[in-house]
Amino acid sequence: MNWQTLLQEIETIDSYKRFGKVTRVIGLMIESKGPESSVGDVCYIHVGSGKHKQKIAAEVVGFREQNVLLMPFSTVQDISPGCIVEATGKPLEIKVGAELIGQVLDSLGKPLNGGVLPKGLHAISIEQEPPNPLARPPITEPIEVGVRLIDSLLTVGKGQRVGIFAGSGVGKSTLMGMIARNTNADINVIALIGERGREVREFIERDLGPEGLARSVVVVATSDQPALMRIKGAYTATAIAEYFRDKGMNVMFMMDSVTRVAMAQREVGLAIGEPPTTKGYTPSVFAILPKLLERTGTNEHGTITAFYTVLVDGDDMNEPIADTVRGILDGHFVLERNLANQGQYPAINVLKSISRVMNHIITPEHKAAAEKLRHLLSTYINSEDLINIGAYKRGSSKEIDEAIRYYPKIISFLKQDIHDKFTKDESIDMLMNLVHSG
């Protein structure tokens, strides 16, 4: 940078600091008179005095008449009327770089263990626009996830976005851990949003393991943290994934769960006075979901293959968030409790799941084999009650007889131990051998 450029930079710097004062606190919301700021800007609220003086970060989430509405990234218990509010004039930024690989971060991009960030990182805003639709290359090749059922029957493409729909305790975290360990993607970025504190370490040590963590960046926002921190965790993780995509990498991105991001946004929306609509969700929830989910996928540099878990209340696949997310993404995998209860892991219902790009990225032979297995499984399931009560007589239908003969092999094929790893080619070969076994 030459002197002339440097002088121009100095001349354009805003040397003023803008301040306001807290006027009241209502629930999660802080109202202040000033400072001059925009929605999304970060402000610092000065609390305490002397040795106990500290700054609490907060974000501008709206305005009421002439007052600024702020929501803090931490608790509001130390904030009182008259506290000074300092404007930064810019949104939340995090530091990114290759040195983050292997780190576990909080929603603000800082090490969760309280350590210091590595050197050599640079700052980016977590608020980014989705890629231009015309700048998105089509999805043309599959990505290996190392789960036999997915690679063979629900093949995922590089840059595809998939929803994993399930109730609680059906194996979402276990499936995510398998994918993170077994995939041939260059790097994993994993967002754990609204998780129980106990589950975070369990996921990192048991499901992800040292081998998975060594090629991953994990962002954590537990359920006890303020709503804004849970929302920012999703944005921070997405921004980190975008950084590595722009470096030309194939990124595997996983978020558990997008439902808890929606619930956090509902809390914020209700606090600033938005009207509740479908099942109590505010309009802003349905505005941020497509904006967040569309940020992943392909661009001219690289790809982000994304898996978003969706918690379905009472296993209702048509509740508002599940319905909205399913309409945005490029496929959905449905995990069912009754399959898990029967000991089938991963508990994916093949007949209710779909990969919308599969037919464009596989060979005709692979497609024919997958369709045959689906047909056999569907035929058996439709006749299962008759078969179980002994009402079906062998020889009545060639299709049902064939389905009965294949069924034990199909169930064996669909099951996979969490420590087993299969390459995509091995999974497809096993599918071909199964359907042609006669």
Side-chain angles (χ1 to χ4, degrees):
M1 185 181 287
N2 58 37
W3 285 107
Q4 196 64 36
T5 309
L6 197 59
L7 287 170
Q8 287 174 353
E9 288 285 328
I10 292 169
E11 284 175 7
T12 56
I13 289 172
D14 184 359
S15 57
Y16 289 95
K17 278 197 172 182
R18 292 167 173 80
F19 296 95
K21 274 191 179 182
V22 172
T23 55
R24 61 177 178 169
V25 178
I26 305 170
L28 306 171
M29 196 62 56
I30 300 160
E31 204 166 305
S32 72
K33 195 77 175 173
E36 184 184 321
S37 54
S38 304
V39 171
D41 284 358
V42 173
C43 294
Y44 291 110
I45 302 169
H46 296 257
V47 299
S49 58
K51 290 182 180 178
H52 302 292
K53 193 171 183 180
Q54 59 174 321
K55 296 194 293 186
I56 294 175
E59 184 176 294
V60 178
V61 292
F63 303 95
R64 182 175 290 136
E65 295 171 356
Q66 300 301 312
N67 290 346
V68 179
L69 301 178
L70 300 149
M71 191 165 276
F73 291 119
S74 58
T75 58
V76 297
Q77 62 192 45
D78 295 322
I79 299 167
S80 58
C83 285
I84 298 296
V85 181
E86 177 189 347
T88 64
K90 56 186 179 181
L92 180 65
E93 291 184 337
I94 58 165
K95 292 191 173 179
V96 294
E99 295 79 7
L100 286 183
I101 299 171
Q103 296 273 351
V104 182
L105 310 172
D106 66 11
S107 298
L108 306 180
K110 296 173 182 174
L112 197 63
N113 61 7
V116 179
L117 279 171
K119 292 183 179 178
L121 307 177
H122 66 273
I124 62 165
S125 170
I126 65 168
E127 300 276 353
Q128 304 284 349
E129 288 297 316
N132 185 310
L134 296 181
R136 285 187 186 270
I139 297 167
T140 55
E141 57 179 307
I143 190 168
E144 185 177 295
V145 299
V147 178
R148 182 170 55 199
L149 185 159
I150 297 173
D151 281 335
S152 59
L153 299 172
L154 298 164
T155 309
V156 175
K158 288 182 181 177
Q160 186 176 352
R161 300 158 305 140
V162 179
I164 300 174
F165 293 73
S168 55
V170 188
K172 296 185 305 299
S173 297
T174 305
L175 179 60
M176 283 173 55
M178 286 175 71
I179 293 170
R181 289 194 310 273
N182 299 342
T183 181
N184 65 354
D186 299 322
I187 183 174
N188 303 308
V189 179
I190 303 168
L192 303 177
I193 310 298
E195 288 287 300
R196 304 173 188 91
R198 171 186 62 82
E199 291 180 329
V200 172
R201 189 166 177 179
E202 282 183 8
F203 174 81
I204 292 167
E205 293 181 359
R206 186 184 63 197
D207 295 328
L208 190 57
E211 55 183 310
L213 184 59
R215 54 201 290 261
S216 303
V217 181
V218 183
V219 178
V220 176
T222 50
S223 57
D224 59 296
Q225 292 185 310
L228 200 59
M229 284 290 271
R230 282 173 270 145
I231 296 167
K232 294 304 170 190
Y235 280 81
T236 294
T238 305
I240 292 169
E242 287 170 325
Y243 168 81
F244 288 111
R245 176 181 63 187
D246 291 344
K247 294 292 180 186
M249 293 186 177
N250 293 315
V251 182
M252 179 64 71
F253 178 74
M254 285 174 271
M255 184 184 293
D256 184 15
S257 72
V258 72
T259 308
R260 293 194 177 114
V261 177
M263 288 176 173
Q265 182 62 38
R266 177 173 63 182
E267 284 182 47
V268 173
L270 292 172
I272 62 175
E274 279 191 77
T277 53
T278 318
K279 278 206 171 179
Y281 287 101
T282 56
S284 62
V285 173
F286 302 102
I288 71 153
L289 280 177
K291 194 172 179 183
L292 177 64
L293 303 181
E294 285 288 351
R295 286 172 61 179
T296 52
T298 60
N299 75 357
E300 63 269 31
H301 306 294
T303 65
I304 301 174
T305 306
F307 287 91
Y308 297 94
T309 69
V310 182
L311 274 169
V312 285
D313 294 333
D315 296 335
D316 175 16
M317 296 294 167
N318 296 314
E319 59 97 31
I321 300 304
D323 214 29
T324 302
V325 171
R326 188 166 52 238
I328 298 168
L329 300 180
D330 310 315
H332 54 271
F333 300 167
V334 178
L335 273 61
E336 289 206 338
R337 197 175 302 279
N338 65 327
L339 295 179
N341 292 341
Q342 293 166 18
Q344 182 179 317
Y345 287 100
I348 299 174
N349 185 322
V350 175
L351 301 178
K352 290 184 180 178
S353 305
I354 189 168
S355 167
R356 290 181 184 167
V357 305
M358 177 176 173
N359 290 341
H360 306 298
I361 57 174
I362 60 173
T363 63
E365 296 78 19
H366 179 185
K367 182 182 176 184
E371 285 177 351
K372 183 175 180 183
L373 188 144
R374 279 176 174 268
H375 177 69
L376 289 166
L377 185 59
S378 174
T379 302
Y380 184 91
I381 296 297
N382 290 337
S383 311
E384 190 170 24
D385 290 342
L386 291 173
I387 296 165
N388 289 341
I389 64 172
Y392 174 75
K393 292 182 180 179
R394 286 182 183 271
S396 302
S397 165
K398 283 186 179 180
E399 281 194 351
I400 297 176
D401 287 346
E402 187 182 28
I404 292 171
R405 192 170 68 252
Y406 272 99
Y407 186 69
K409 299 180 198 174
I410 292 172
I411 294 302
S412 177
F413 176 78
L414 297 180
K415 290 181 180 178
Q416 180 175 336
D417 188 82
I418 60 170
H419 299 297
D420 289 345
K421 178 182 177 180
F422 299 95
T423 67
K424 181 168 60 66
D425 292 337
E426 286 173 343
S427 298
I428 295 167
D429 287 344
M430 292 169 85
L431 171 66
M432 296 289 192
N433 292 334
L434 169 61
V435 298
H436 295 132
S437 60

